[in-house]
Amino acid sequence: MTTNEKKIPEIRFGKLLKYALGLIYNPLKAISGIVHDYGDIATLKIAKIGRIIFVNHPDFVKHILKDNQENYSRRKAISQPSFSALKELLGNGIFTSDGEDWEKQHRLLQNLFSPTSNSATLPIIESELKKMQADWENKLLSSPIIDIEQDMHLLILRILLRTHVSDTISVDPEKIFASLRGFTNSSNSKVIFSIQLKALFLKTFNIKYHYKKSQKYLDYLFSVTDTLVAGLIENQYKPTGLFAMMLEDYRLKRVTEQDIKDQFLNFLFAGFETTATGIVFTLFNLATHPEIQQSLVNELMQENTETGSFSNSKLDKVIRESLRLYPPVWSYARETIKEDNINGYNIPANTLILISAYALHRHKDFWENPEIFNINNFEKEL
């Protein structure tokens, strides 16, 4: 360590078991505890065989995810034993790729968010919303309880399939969703941290650990993907959105059939789940703050009456604050390629870096009363 180099606070032996078990059984609480006890950067070492560095400052995160992103690999992180099932599912799609692969896929996906592309999806979105509204009205005739979380996930999944895969395919969204939910439950944060710690321990004895409990869900999702992509390539279905563009690239030999399958599984796993979860938490926050909900409804109704459209700043603040308090993707993992230095701290090569959006969004230096839902947190930005 050089004279100017700062030592990363290390989780001491006395608290090692506490936080190791905490990461398995309640990772959000454990990471929040690490941040509270050790500050914006801390390291958890397992003997001499591995370590996890926790980072929780916006400047550090910006360095990792933007300024020096080439040195912090998604692909290497997802190659860890704890992410083996996720790596098998997502292949080399947008959420697991690095470098030129990521840039190429990112450019392709950018085309989906043009005003023209967005406008083309509106009729499908409107029709699906009307179907869900009618379904809820029927359900309320027999029961006062509606599973909004599941219904919202199924809604976004149906919209995704119709707008960016094909509007003519015949698939069972409920069965796909059930398999995705089974996969995520068998590969959740509790499982991931358990596998990671177990794999690091077994590495001491030169034993490689492989997790297989999610395999049955993977097999079904792969089967659906194979059938669907084959049908698209053979012109059995008319493609829409992303897959219309990917099939055009396939005909020109710019992408392979496997590229299409990987992108479909990336969209299936992360393209609707995060959106649906964000909407569910936004609805939850509105339901638990009825005064904000009523004020928002009044403003939206007035704006629609006067202009025929919505551009409501209060809605924007509600969404932002919901994403701050309950980020759908609450953690990010990267692995260093080369040694680096962040704000005077030496970051070794081949080290797993964990960033928790959940903890970062509650950083007391940047948010007043960070546990409280307060849409005025974003007043200055708007």
Side-chain angles (χ1 to χ4, degrees):
M1 186 169 71
T2 63
T3 305
N4 297 325
E5 187 178 305
K6 295 184 283 187
K7 181 176 175 59
I8 299 176
E10 185 176 328
I11 297 173
R12 298 298 180 188
F13 181 79
K15 290 188 175 181
L16 184 63
L17 183 60
K18 168 189 171 183
Y19 284 123
L21 291 174
L23 288 170
I24 294 172
Y25 293 105
N26 193 337
L28 291 178
K29 183 178 179 181
I31 293 172
S32 297
I34 291 171
V35 169
H36 178 270
D37 290 346
Y38 295 94
D40 291 333
I41 188 167
T43 182
L44 187 155
K45 295 176 69 175
I46 308 295
K48 296 181 180 180
I49 55 174
R51 72 173 75 201
I52 302 173
I53 293 180
F54 299 89
V55 174
N56 194 60
H57 190 283
D59 292 342
F60 301 173
V61 174
K62 179 174 178 288
H63 177 87
I64 292 166
L65 299 183
K66 184 178 180 182
D67 297 340
N68 195 24
Q69 61 179 293
E70 294 82 4
N71 191 51
Y72 293 86
S73 171
R74 271 180 291 250
R75 186 175 294 163
K76 285 192 69 178
I78 209 169
S79 296
Q80 294 279 341
S82 52
F83 297 108
S84 59
L86 193 60
K87 180 183 178 183
E88 188 175 354
L89 175 69
L90 300 182
N92 192 39
I94 185 69
F95 294 103
T96 57
S97 57
D98 285 321
E100 291 184 7
D101 281 346
W102 184 88
E103 290 287 350
K104 178 182 176 182
Q105 295 179 55
H106 184 250
R107 285 194 297 271
L108 175 67
L109 293 175
Q110 278 183 318
N111 296 324
L112 301 179
F113 301 101
S114 68
T116 302
S117 296
N118 287 334
S119 296
T121 66
L122 293 179
I124 291 176
I125 294 173
E126 185 177 358
S127 70
E128 288 292 343
L129 284 170
K130 287 181 177 178
K131 288 179 185 177
M132 186 178 74
Q133 180 182 357
D135 183 49
W136 282 2
E137 289 173 352
N138 288 331
K139 287 180 178 178
L140 288 172
L141 294 175
S142 57
S143 171
I145 298 174
I146 293 176
D147 189 340
I148 292 178
E149 181 183 7
Q150 174 160 316
D151 286 356
M152 192 57 63
H153 278 79
L154 287 169
L155 169 73
I156 302 302
L157 176 56
R158 288 195 302 269
I159 290 173
L160 173 73
L161 291 171
R162 292 184 62 188
T163 57
H164 288 298
V165 182
S166 173
D167 199 18
T168 60
I169 56 173
S170 177
V171 294
D172 186 346
E174 291 192 17
K175 192 170 181 181
I176 292 174
F177 176 67
S179 292
L180 284 167
R181 181 55 57 90
F183 175 82
T184 54
N185 287 342
S186 65
S187 307
N188 60 23
S189 55
K190 176 180 176 180
V191 174
I192 284 174
F193 283 114
S194 176
I195 295 169
Q196 189 66 30
L197 294 171
K198 187 181 293 185
L200 287 173
F201 174 77
L202 291 176
K203 188 177 178 181
T204 309
F205 306 99
N206 294 317
I207 300 172
K208 289 185 177 181
Y209 179 73
H210 183 63
Y211 180 71
K212 297 181 178 180
K213 290 186 179 179
S214 56
Q215 193 61 47
K216 65 178 180 179
Y217 304 112
L218 284 172
D219 290 343
Y220 173 75
L221 293 170
F222 289 151
S223 174
V224 170
T225 302
D226 290 345
T227 301
L228 182 60
V229 171
L232 287 168
I233 288 174
E234 293 167 8
N235 296 317
Q236 295 177 13
Y237 317 117
K238 183 180 179 180
T240 56
L242 171 64
F243 287 88
M245 291 189 291
M246 289 207 74
L247 281 169
E248 183 178 345
D249 283 352
Y250 174 77
R251 312 288 183 207
L252 297 171
K253 298 185 178 181
R254 293 173 182 166
V255 299
T256 66
E257 182 174 346
Q258 188 59 49
D259 291 331
I260 300 175
K261 291 178 181 179
D262 287 349
Q263 214 60 270
F264 174 73
L265 287 163
N266 274 250
F267 252 55
L268 207 59
F269 180 76
F272 87 96
E273 176 81 21
T274 51
T275 302
T277 300
I279 292 172
V280 169
F281 275 118
T282 300
L283 293 175
F284 167 79
N285 285 320
L286 287 172
T288 52
H289 297 81
E291 71 289 349
I292 296 177
Q293 177 176 265
Q294 190 57 55
S295 173
L296 176 60
V297 169
N298 292 341
E299 289 190 22
L300 288 172
M301 293 297 290
Q302 180 180 355
E303 187 174 351
N304 188 43
T305 301
E306 293 174 354
T307 67
S309 62
F310 301 120
S311 59
N312 190 274
S313 62
K314 180 170 286 187
L315 177 59
D316 189 84
K317 288 186 284 187
V318 166
I319 293 171
R320 289 178 182 227
E321 179 65 355
S322 293
L323 292 174
R324 179 193 72 81
L325 204 55
Y326 302 110
V329 181
W330 61 266
S331 68
Y332 310 89
R334 297 290 188 270
E335 186 172 332
T336 49
I337 297 172
K338 298 179 181 178
E339 182 180 359
D340 195 16
N341 187 285
I342 299 179
N343 196 44
Y345 295 105
N346 180 65
I347 310 295
N350 304 314
T351 298
L352 188 65
I353 309 294
L354 187 70
I355 301 164
S356 171
Y358 180 89
L360 183 64
H361 292 182
R362 287 166 164 73
H363 200 302
K364 292 183 179 180
D365 290 351
F366 301 94
W367 306 102
E368 187 177 353
N369 299 318
E371 300 290 340
I372 304 300
F373 180 77
N374 179 12
I375 65 173
N376 293 325
N377 279 327
F378 292 94
E379 188 72 42
K380 293 180 182 179
E381 289 193 24
L382 299 170

mmCIF file of all heavy atoms in Angstrom, residues 159-196:
data_model
loop_
_atom_site.group_PDB
_atom_site.id
_atom_site.type_symbol
_atom_site.label_atom_id
_atom_site.label_comp_id
_atom_site.label_asym_id
_atom_site.label_seq_id
_atom_site.Cartn_x
_atom_site.Cartn_y
_atom_site.Cartn_z
ATOM 1 N N ILE A 159 -48.090 -7.344 -23.133
ATOM 2 C CA ILE A 159 -47.752 -6.171 -23.952
ATOM 3 C C ILE A 159 -46.397 -6.369 -24.617
ATOM 4 O O ILE A 159 -46.218 -6.082 -25.807
ATOM 5 C CB ILE A 159 -47.776 -4.892 -23.089
ATOM 6 C CG1 ILE A 159 -49.220 -4.544 -22.693
ATOM 7 C CG2 ILE A 159 -47.134 -3.726 -23.839
ATOM 8 C CD1 ILE A 159 -49.334 -3.406 -21.699
ATOM 9 N N LEU A 160 -45.430 -6.859 -23.849
ATOM 10 C CA LEU A 160 -44.092 -7.095 -24.393
ATOM 11 C C LEU A 160 -44.134 -8.078 -25.560
ATOM 12 O O LEU A 160 -43.551 -7.835 -26.622
ATOM 13 C CB LEU A 160 -43.178 -7.627 -23.296
ATOM 14 C CG LEU A 160 -41.789 -8.090 -23.749
ATOM 15 C CD1 LEU A 160 -40.915 -6.901 -24.104
ATOM 16 C CD2 LEU A 160 -41.116 -8.940 -22.687
ATOM 17 N N LEU A 161 -44.823 -9.202 -25.359
ATOM 18 C CA LEU A 161 -44.887 -10.226 -26.411
ATOM 19 C C LEU A 161 -45.566 -9.683 -27.667
ATOM 20 O O LEU A 161 -45.111 -9.946 -28.791
ATOM 21 C CB LEU A 161 -45.633 -11.454 -25.890
ATOM 22 C CG LEU A 161 -44.915 -12.277 -24.813
ATOM 23 C CD1 LEU A 161 -45.848 -13.328 -24.222
ATOM 24 C CD2 LEU A 161 -43.661 -12.937 -25.370
ATOM 25 N N ARG A 162 -46.638 -8.913 -27.501
ATOM 26 C CA ARG A 162 -47.377 -8.415 -28.662
ATOM 27 C C ARG A 162 -46.629 -7.297 -29.386
ATOM 28 O O ARG A 162 -46.655 -7.213 -30.618
ATOM 29 C CB ARG A 162 -48.760 -7.915 -28.234
ATOM 30 C CG ARG A 162 -49.702 -9.005 -27.755
ATOM 31 C CD ARG A 162 -51.079 -8.435 -27.439
ATOM 32 N NE ARG A 162 -51.699 -7.858 -28.648
ATOM 33 C CZ ARG A 162 -52.829 -7.150 -28.627
ATOM 34 N NH1 ARG A 162 -53.454 -6.917 -27.474
ATOM 35 N NH2 ARG A 162 -53.335 -6.678 -29.752
ATOM 36 N N THR A 163 -45.955 -6.406 -28.637
ATOM 37 C CA THR A 163 -45.334 -5.242 -29.268
ATOM 38 C C THR A 163 -43.915 -5.491 -29.772
ATOM 39 O O THR A 163 -43.467 -4.823 -30.707
ATOM 40 C CB THR A 163 -45.294 -4.042 -28.294
ATOM 41 O OG1 THR A 163 -44.582 -4.423 -27.097
ATOM 42 C CG2 THR A 163 -46.691 -3.581 -27.928
ATOM 43 N N HIS A 164 -43.200 -6.458 -29.175
ATOM 44 C CA HIS A 164 -41.790 -6.624 -29.542
ATOM 45 C C HIS A 164 -41.397 -8.035 -29.946
ATOM 46 O O HIS A 164 -40.225 -8.306 -30.193
ATOM 47 C CB HIS A 164 -40.894 -6.128 -28.416
ATOM 48 C CG HIS A 164 -40.893 -4.634 -28.294
ATOM 49 N ND1 HIS A 164 -40.451 -3.817 -29.305
ATOM 50 C CD2 HIS A 164 -41.323 -3.820 -27.308
ATOM 51 C CE1 HIS A 164 -40.575 -2.559 -28.923
ATOM 52 N NE2 HIS A 164 -41.109 -2.537 -27.736
ATOM 53 N N VAL A 165 -42.371 -8.945 -30.003
ATOM 54 C CA VAL A 165 -42.089 -10.284 -30.520
ATOM 55 C C VAL A 165 -43.003 -10.549 -31.710
ATOM 56 O O VAL A 165 -42.562 -10.545 -32.856
ATOM 57 C CB VAL A 165 -42.263 -11.369 -29.427
ATOM 58 C CG1 VAL A 165 -41.908 -12.743 -30.001
ATOM 59 C CG2 VAL A 165 -41.368 -11.061 -28.225
ATOM 60 N N SER A 166 -44.287 -10.767 -31.443
ATOM 61 C CA SER A 166 -45.255 -10.953 -32.516
ATOM 62 C C SER A 166 -46.664 -10.812 -31.953
ATOM 63 O O SER A 166 -46.929 -11.257 -30.832
ATOM 64 C CB SER A 166 -45.091 -12.334 -33.156
ATOM 65 O OG SER A 166 -46.129 -12.578 -34.087
ATOM 66 N N ASP A 167 -47.539 -10.216 -32.722
ATOM 67 C CA ASP A 167 -48.930 -10.057 -32.313
ATOM 68 C C ASP A 167 -49.789 -11.219 -32.809
ATOM 69 O O ASP A 167 -51.014 -11.212 -32.647
ATOM 70 C CB ASP A 167 -49.489 -8.729 -32.847
ATOM 71 C CG ASP A 167 -50.730 -8.282 -32.095
ATOM 72 O OD1 ASP A 167 -50.959 -8.788 -30.983
ATOM 73 O OD2 ASP A 167 -51.482 -7.444 -32.628
ATOM 74 N N THR A 168 -49.139 -12.215 -33.418
ATOM 75 C CA THR A 168 -49.900 -13.342 -33.966
ATOM 76 C C THR A 168 -49.516 -14.681 -33.350
ATOM 77 O O THR A 168 -50.029 -15.716 -33.751
ATOM 78 C CB THR A 168 -49.699 -13.432 -35.497
ATOM 79 O OG1 THR A 168 -48.309 -13.624 -35.778
ATOM 80 C CG2 THR A 168 -50.178 -12.160 -36.188
ATOM 81 N N ILE A 169 -48.608 -14.668 -32.377
ATOM 82 C CA ILE A 169 -48.185 -15.924 -31.762
ATOM 83 C C ILE A 169 -49.241 -16.425 -30.779
ATOM 84 O O ILE A 169 -50.041 -15.652 -30.248
ATOM 85 C CB ILE A 169 -46.835 -15.789 -31.018
ATOM 86 C CG1 ILE A 169 -46.924 -14.673 -29.960
ATOM 87 C CG2 ILE A 169 -45.704 -15.543 -31.973
ATOM 88 C CD1 ILE A 169 -45.711 -14.571 -29.081
ATOM 89 N N SER A 170 -49.229 -17.734 -30.559
ATOM 90 C CA SER A 170 -50.148 -18.346 -29.591
ATOM 91 C C SER A 170 -49.311 -18.976 -28.493
ATOM 92 O O SER A 170 -48.817 -20.097 -28.639
ATOM 93 C CB SER A 170 -51.017 -19.410 -30.280
ATOM 94 O OG SER A 170 -51.859 -20.045 -29.338
ATOM 95 N N VAL A 171 -49.105 -18.237 -27.415
ATOM 96 C CA VAL A 171 -48.351 -18.740 -26.261
ATOM 97 C C VAL A 171 -49.190 -18.523 -25.014
ATOM 98 O O VAL A 171 -50.181 -17.787 -25.025
ATOM 99 C CB VAL A 171 -46.994 -18.015 -26.102
ATOM 100 C CG1 VAL A 171 -46.076 -18.327 -27.271
ATOM 101 C CG2 VAL A 171 -47.191 -16.511 -25.957
ATOM 102 N N ASP A 172 -48.799 -19.171 -23.947
ATOM 103 C CA ASP A 172 -49.509 -19.064 -22.681
ATOM 104 C C ASP A 172 -48.705 -18.164 -21.734
ATOM 105 O O ASP A 172 -47.770 -18.633 -21.074
ATOM 106 C CB ASP A 172 -49.684 -20.456 -22.064
ATOM 107 C CG ASP A 172 -50.545 -20.425 -20.805
ATOM 108 O OD1 ASP A 172 -50.775 -19.321 -20.280
ATOM 109 O OD2 ASP A 172 -50.969 -21.501 -20.363
ATOM 110 N N PRO A 173 -49.059 -16.852 -21.655
ATOM 111 C CA PRO A 173 -48.297 -15.945 -20.789
ATOM 112 C C PRO A 173 -48.281 -16.387 -19.331
ATOM 113 O O PRO A 173 -47.266 -16.199 -18.644
ATOM 114 C CB PRO A 173 -49.033 -14.608 -20.952
ATOM 115 C CG PRO A 173 -49.722 -14.706 -22.271
ATOM 116 C CD PRO A 173 -50.113 -16.144 -22.385
ATOM 117 N N GLU A 174 -49.384 -16.979 -18.858
ATOM 118 C CA GLU A 174 -49.427 -17.395 -17.454
ATOM 119 C C GLU A 174 -48.424 -18.507 -17.167
ATOM 120 O O GLU A 174 -47.779 -18.521 -16.116
ATOM 121 C CB GLU A 174 -50.849 -17.844 -17.084
ATOM 122 C CG GLU A 174 -51.843 -16.694 -17.069
ATOM 123 C CD GLU A 174 -53.158 -17.082 -16.425
ATOM 124 O OE1 GLU A 174 -53.191 -18.107 -15.706
ATOM 125 O OE2 GLU A 174 -54.152 -16.366 -16.645
ATOM 126 N N LYS A 175 -48.265 -19.445 -18.103
ATOM 127 C CA LYS A 175 -47.308 -20.533 -17.897
ATOM 128 C C LYS A 175 -45.871 -20.009 -17.991
ATOM 129 O O LYS A 175 -44.993 -20.434 -17.232
ATOM 130 C CB LYS A 175 -47.538 -21.636 -18.930
ATOM 131 C CG LYS A 175 -46.795 -22.926 -18.606
ATOM 132 C CD LYS A 175 -47.233 -24.070 -19.509
ATOM 133 C CE LYS A 175 -46.497 -25.355 -19.138
ATOM 134 N NZ LYS A 175 -46.891 -26.488 -20.015
ATOM 135 N N ILE A 176 -45.643 -19.079 -18.933
ATOM 136 C CA ILE A 176 -44.321 -18.469 -19.035
ATOM 137 C C ILE A 176 -43.997 -17.724 -17.751
ATOM 138 O O ILE A 176 -42.902 -17.846 -17.193
ATOM 139 C CB ILE A 176 -44.258 -17.517 -20.249
ATOM 140 C CG1 ILE A 176 -44.331 -18.312 -21.559
ATOM 141 C CG2 ILE A 176 -42.974 -16.683 -20.212
ATOM 142 C CD1 ILE A 176 -44.416 -17.445 -22.793
ATOM 143 N N PHE A 177 -44.964 -16.942 -17.267
ATOM 144 C CA PHE A 177 -44.746 -16.172 -16.037
ATOM 145 C C PHE A 177 -44.493 -17.094 -14.846
ATOM 146 O O PHE A 177 -43.618 -16.829 -14.012
ATOM 147 C CB PHE A 177 -45.949 -15.273 -15.769
ATOM 148 C CG PHE A 177 -45.842 -14.509 -14.465
ATOM 149 C CD1 PHE A 177 -44.875 -13.534 -14.294
ATOM 150 C CD2 PHE A 177 -46.702 -14.783 -13.416
ATOM 151 C CE1 PHE A 177 -44.765 -12.832 -13.102
ATOM 152 C CE2 PHE A 177 -46.603 -14.094 -12.220
ATOM 153 C CZ PHE A 177 -45.633 -13.112 -12.062
ATOM 154 N N ALA A 178 -45.249 -18.192 -14.761
ATOM 155 C CA ALA A 178 -45.061 -19.140 -13.659
ATOM 156 C C ALA A 178 -43.650 -19.733 -13.682
ATOM 157 O O ALA A 178 -43.016 -19.904 -12.627
ATOM 158 C CB ALA A 178 -46.103 -20.251 -13.736
ATOM 159 N N SER A 179 -43.147 -20.035 -14.873
ATOM 160 C CA SER A 179 -41.791 -20.578 -14.985
ATOM 161 C C SER A 179 -40.745 -19.531 -14.630
ATOM 162 O O SER A 179 -39.747 -19.831 -13.964
ATOM 163 C CB SER A 179 -41.549 -21.097 -16.404
ATOM 164 O OG SER A 179 -42.350 -22.227 -16.653
ATOM 165 N N LEU A 180 -40.965 -18.290 -15.078
ATOM 166 C CA LEU A 180 -40.041 -17.211 -14.725
ATOM 167 C C LEU A 180 -40.039 -16.971 -13.220
ATOM 168 O O LEU A 180 -38.980 -16.775 -12.617
ATOM 169 C CB LEU A 180 -40.424 -15.929 -15.459
ATOM 170 C CG LEU A 180 -40.061 -15.868 -16.944
ATOM 171 C CD1 LEU A 180 -40.759 -14.696 -17.615
ATOM 172 C CD2 LEU A 180 -38.550 -15.761 -17.128
ATOM 173 N N ARG A 181 -41.225 -17.000 -12.615
ATOM 174 C CA ARG A 181 -41.312 -16.806 -11.167
ATOM 175 C C ARG A 181 -40.641 -17.972 -10.431
ATOM 176 O O ARG A 181 -39.945 -17.767 -9.431
ATOM 177 C CB ARG A 181 -42.785 -16.677 -10.762
ATOM 178 C CG ARG A 181 -43.042 -16.436 -9.276
ATOM 179 C CD ARG A 181 -42.308 -15.227 -8.726
ATOM 180 N NE ARG A 181 -42.585 -13.996 -9.392
ATOM 181 C CZ ARG A 181 -43.572 -13.154 -9.040
ATOM 182 N NH1 ARG A 181 -44.380 -13.467 -8.049
ATOM 183 N NH2 ARG A 181 -43.716 -12.008 -9.663
ATOM 184 N N GLY A 182 -40.835 -19.194 -10.942
ATOM 185 C CA GLY A 182 -40.164 -20.339 -10.346
ATOM 186 C C GLY A 182 -38.653 -20.219 -10.456
ATOM 187 O O GLY A 182 -37.918 -20.537 -9.509
ATOM 188 N N PHE A 183 -38.186 -19.732 -11.619
ATOM 189 C CA PHE A 183 -36.751 -19.556 -11.813
ATOM 190 C C PHE A 183 -36.191 -18.513 -10.853
ATOM 191 O O PHE A 183 -35.160 -18.738 -10.207
ATOM 192 C CB PHE A 183 -36.460 -19.146 -13.255
ATOM 193 C CG PHE A 183 -35.009 -18.819 -13.507
ATOM 194 C CD1 PHE A 183 -34.083 -19.821 -13.736
ATOM 195 C CD2 PHE A 183 -34.558 -17.500 -13.487
ATOM 196 C CE1 PHE A 183 -32.745 -19.529 -13.940
ATOM 197 C CE2 PHE A 183 -33.228 -17.199 -13.697
ATOM 198 C CZ PHE A 183 -32.320 -18.214 -13.922
ATOM 199 N N THR A 184 -36.848 -17.360 -10.755
ATOM 200 C CA THR A 184 -36.346 -16.305 -9.883
ATOM 201 C C THR A 184 -36.398 -16.732 -8.416
ATOM 202 O O THR A 184 -35.497 -16.399 -7.635
ATOM 203 C CB THR A 184 -37.132 -14.999 -10.075
ATOM 204 O OG1 THR A 184 -38.538 -15.254 -9.907
ATOM 205 C CG2 THR A 184 -36.909 -14.423 -11.457
ATOM 206 N N ASN A 185 -37.433 -17.481 -8.030
ATOM 207 C CA ASN A 185 -37.513 -17.951 -6.643
ATOM 208 C C ASN A 185 -36.409 -18.951 -6.323
ATOM 209 O O ASN A 185 -35.954 -19.040 -5.176
ATOM 210 C CB ASN A 185 -38.879 -18.581 -6.373
ATOM 211 C CG ASN A 185 -39.988 -17.561 -6.282
ATOM 212 O OD1 ASN A 185 -39.732 -16.374 -6.088
ATOM 213 N ND2 ASN A 185 -41.220 -18.001 -6.437
ATOM 214 N N SER A 186 -35.987 -19.717 -7.339
ATOM 215 C CA SER A 186 -34.912 -20.694 -7.112
ATOM 216 C C SER A 186 -33.531 -20.078 -7.322
ATOM 217 O O SER A 186 -32.513 -20.741 -7.118
ATOM 218 C CB SER A 186 -35.078 -21.893 -8.052
ATOM 219 O OG SER A 186 -34.918 -21.503 -9.403
ATOM 220 N N SER A 187 -33.512 -18.792 -7.737
ATOM 221 C CA SER A 187 -32.232 -18.099 -7.961
ATOM 222 C C SER A 187 -32.277 -16.708 -7.349
ATOM 223 O O SER A 187 -31.664 -15.774 -7.858
ATOM 224 C CB SER A 187 -31.950 -17.992 -9.468
ATOM 225 O OG SER A 187 -32.029 -19.237 -10.101
ATOM 226 N N ASN A 188 -33.028 -16.562 -6.246
ATOM 227 C CA ASN A 188 -33.186 -15.243 -5.650
ATOM 228 C C ASN A 188 -31.939 -14.842 -4.871
ATOM 229 O O ASN A 188 -30.953 -15.576 -4.807
ATOM 230 C CB ASN A 188 -34.437 -15.197 -4.758
ATOM 231 C CG ASN A 188 -34.376 -16.206 -3.616
ATOM 232 O OD1 ASN A 188 -33.302 -16.638 -3.211
ATOM 233 N ND2 ASN A 188 -35.535 -16.579 -3.113
ATOM 234 N N SER A 189 -31.995 -13.650 -4.255
ATOM 235 C CA SER A 189 -30.812 -13.122 -3.573
ATOM 236 C C SER A 189 -30.355 -14.032 -2.435
ATOM 237 O O SER A 189 -29.153 -14.214 -2.219
ATOM 238 C CB SER A 189 -31.118 -11.723 -3.034
ATOM 239 O OG SER A 189 -32.271 -11.755 -2.210
ATOM 240 N N LYS A 190 -31.306 -14.627 -1.733
ATOM 241 C CA LYS A 190 -30.939 -15.553 -0.651
ATOM 242 C C LYS A 190 -30.139 -16.719 -1.205
ATOM 243 O O LYS A 190 -29.099 -17.106 -0.656
ATOM 244 C CB LYS A 190 -32.210 -16.055 0.041
ATOM 245 C CG LYS A 190 -31.961 -17.099 1.114
ATOM 246 C CD LYS A 190 -33.271 -17.540 1.749
ATOM 247 C CE LYS A 190 -33.055 -18.658 2.754
ATOM 248 N NZ LYS A 190 -34.316 -19.096 3.386
ATOM 249 N N VAL A 191 -30.605 -17.272 -2.308
ATOM 250 C CA VAL A 191 -29.920 -18.403 -2.939
ATOM 251 C C VAL A 191 -28.566 -17.966 -3.484
ATOM 252 O O VAL A 191 -27.559 -18.663 -3.313
ATOM 253 C CB VAL A 191 -30.788 -18.995 -4.068
ATOM 254 C CG1 VAL A 191 -30.025 -20.075 -4.822
ATOM 255 C CG2 VAL A 191 -32.080 -19.567 -3.506
ATOM 256 N N ILE A 192 -28.540 -16.795 -4.141
ATOM 257 C CA ILE A 192 -27.298 -16.312 -4.766
ATOM 258 C C ILE A 192 -26.192 -16.157 -3.736
ATOM 259 O O ILE A 192 -25.062 -16.625 -3.915
ATOM 260 C CB ILE A 192 -27.554 -14.995 -5.514
ATOM 261 C CG1 ILE A 192 -28.276 -15.287 -6.832
ATOM 262 C CG2 ILE A 192 -26.246 -14.253 -5.783
ATOM 263 C CD1 ILE A 192 -28.711 -14.048 -7.579
ATOM 264 N N PHE A 193 -26.481 -15.464 -2.623
ATOM 265 C CA PHE A 193 -25.449 -15.263 -1.606
ATOM 266 C C PHE A 193 -25.064 -16.585 -0.947
ATOM 267 O O PHE A 193 -23.903 -16.805 -0.621
ATOM 268 C CB PHE A 193 -25.916 -14.251 -0.563
ATOM 269 C CG PHE A 193 -25.848 -12.827 -1.029
ATOM 270 C CD1 PHE A 193 -26.994 -12.079 -1.198
ATOM 271 C CD2 PHE A 193 -24.626 -12.238 -1.312
ATOM 272 C CE1 PHE A 193 -26.945 -10.768 -1.638
ATOM 273 C CE2 PHE A 193 -24.552 -10.922 -1.755
ATOM 274 C CZ PHE A 193 -25.717 -10.188 -1.914
ATOM 275 N N SER A 194 -26.034 -17.458 -0.772
ATOM 276 C CA SER A 194 -25.744 -18.774 -0.191
ATOM 277 C C SER A 194 -24.789 -19.548 -1.091
ATOM 278 O O SER A 194 -23.802 -20.134 -0.623
ATOM 279 C CB SER A 194 -27.044 -19.555 0.007
ATOM 280 O OG SER A 194 -26.784 -20.855 0.472
ATOM 281 N N ILE A 195 -25.069 -19.554 -2.399
ATOM 282 C CA ILE A 195 -24.216 -20.264 -3.355
ATOM 283 C C ILE A 195 -22.827 -19.646 -3.388
ATOM 284 O O ILE A 195 -21.806 -20.346 -3.402
ATOM 285 C CB ILE A 195 -24.837 -20.225 -4.761
ATOM 286 C CG1 ILE A 195 -26.157 -21.005 -4.788
ATOM 287 C CG2 ILE A 195 -23.872 -20.800 -5.795
ATOM 288 C CD1 ILE A 195 -26.943 -20.796 -6.062
ATOM 289 N N GLN A 196 -22.772 -18.290 -3.418
ATOM 290 C CA GLN A 196 -21.479 -17.613 -3.516
ATOM 291 C C GLN A 196 -20.591 -17.944 -2.319
ATOM 292 O O GLN A 196 -19.416 -18.277 -2.468
ATOM 293 C CB GLN A 196 -21.694 -16.099 -3.609
ATOM 294 C CG GLN A 196 -20.424 -15.313 -3.933
ATOM 295 C CD GLN A 196 -19.900 -15.605 -5.329
ATOM 296 O OE1 GLN A 196 -20.671 -15.907 -6.229
ATOM 297 N NE2 GLN A 196 -18.600 -15.526 -5.521
#
